[in-house]
Amino acid sequence: MQKTIPDNTAVRTALWRALHVQIDAPPYILEDETGLQLIAPDAGWQQRPDMHPEGTKPARMSIVTRARFVEDLVETAISRGVRQYVILGAGLDTFAIRRKDLGSKITVYEIDEPATQAWKKQRIGELGFDVPHLHFVPVDFEKTSNWLSPLADAGFDMKAPAVVACTGVSMYLTQGAVAGLLQQVAAMAPGSMLAMSFLIPVELLEPAEQRLLEMAMKGAAAAGTPFLSFFTPEQMLELAVKAGFRDVKIISASDLSAKYFADRQDGLAASNGEQLLVADSTI
């Protein structure tokens, strides 16, 4: 059977996370080479044009920093009793595989395209990873935006709170679809929380970051997955409030840099092109 792999975006994200560990100086923001194991790329993968150490630095830092932030958020939620974690557009996320220390405390539901999930499930089996707390929820997003029903069918308790992560996804959705997603999460059990990344409009960025974002936009369009939505922080907060969230805040690149990069001397920092919405339904 011919080997298939997930889309380029999922693969690139996983390789960037591994690249951080392999070429950046410690302490690492996130230690994740598990995605590299899943992909098992050909030797010399670091020489790919999209793996250039300097050229990929802003995007690489954005990827690993948002992942670290979300994982910290999940740990905090677990400490207050949350036992469900939903990853929308999971791709090659490896939280459930890596964080065995949390495996007995939380059930992970990964929602993604059926083909990607079938490939990932097969690779997990081939590598012998034991992840009984991981549930795959295949959803064909081209045919339906309803992911709550298949989530419930997979065993998710709709009456209990959850953390929902949606990173690296919103730019591929229309603004109407993003609003719908927010409404779905806001309707979940009280105490649920959403962490969602979003891209800032290119004209609001500094020239160097404008160029990087424009390059990413061209690459995404060429791959058939164009960026469709950009939001100012104010627009995203307004959408979240309209969706029904009670407590909303924006985590900026400056916030992330202060949290994770304050003592570094190597010039690594979070990218200003992407920010995070944290929306909490707790009363």
Side-chain angles (χ1 to χ4, degrees), residues 75-88:
E75 285 198 73
T76 299
I78 289 173
S79 71
R80 59 181 176 85
V82 175
R83 293 294 179 262
Q84 302 183 115
Y85 177 29
V86 179
I87 309 175
L88 289 170

Side-chain angles (χ1 to χ4, degrees), residues 13-111:
T13 297
L15 293 182
W16 276 346
R17 286 163 68 145
L19 196 64
H20 172 55
V21 177
Q22 296 191 3
I23 71 171
D24 294 327
Y28 304 117
I29 307 304
L30 182 80
E31 295 189 46
D32 181 9
E33 295 180 283
T34 306
L36 178 62
Q37 290 181 266
L38 291 173
I39 298 164
D42 295 334
W45 63 271
Q46 288 192 15
Q47 279 65 59
R48 287 172 37 162
D50 59 353
M51 294 294 129
H52 189 279
E54 289 302 316
T56 64
K57 186 183 292 185
R60 190 170 73 248
M61 287 303 98
S62 179
I63 294 294
V64 299
T65 307
R66 77 189 187 196
R68 170 64 183 276
F69 177 83
V70 171
E71 292 195 12
D72 287 350
L73 204 66
V74 172
E75 285 198 73
T76 299
I78 289 173
S79 71
R80 59 181 176 85
V82 175
R83 293 294 179 262
Q84 302 183 115
Y85 177 29
V86 179
I87 309 175
L88 289 170
L92 299 183
D93 189 278
T94 62
F95 174 88
I97 302 171
R98 287 182 295 105
R99 297 303 304 270
K100 294 186 180 299
D101 57 316
L102 301 177
S104 64
K105 300 177 182 178
I106 196 161
T107 302
V108 181
Y109 298 87
E110 292 191 0
I111 300 179

Side-chain angles (χ1 to χ4, degrees), residues 1-2 14 19 27-28 69-70 111 113 126 148 152 163 167 204 210 213 218 226 233 239 242 248 253 257:
M1 184 175 64
Q2 184 179 4
L19 196 64
Y28 304 117
F69 177 83
V70 171
I111 300 179
E113 301 289 343
E126 290 172 350
L148 288 177
V163 176
T167 59
L204 299 183
Q210 283 187 10
L213 180 54
K218 290 179 181 178
L239 272 182
K242 284 184 177 180
V248 297
S257 292

Side-chain angles (χ1 to χ4, degrees), residues 145 147 166 170 173-187 194 196 229 231 235-245 277:
S145 59
W147 47 270
C166 181
S170 67
L173 305 177
T174 64
Q175 293 200 8
V178 172
L181 186 154
L182 290 169
Q183 290 166 7
Q184 287 177 294
V185 180
L194 170 69
M196 182 171 71
S229 294
F231 300 91
Q235 289 170 333
M236 184 55 73
L237 288 173
E238 183 179 0
L239 272 182
V241 170
K242 284 184 177 180
F245 284 102
L277 166 74

Side-chain angles (χ1 to χ4, degrees), residues 119-135:
W119 178 90
K120 186 175 181 179
K121 189 174 183 179
Q122 178 180 327
R123 288 295 294 147
I124 286 174
E126 290 172 350
L127 292 169
F129 292 131
D130 183 25
V131 281
H133 56 291
L134 172 60
H135 297 268

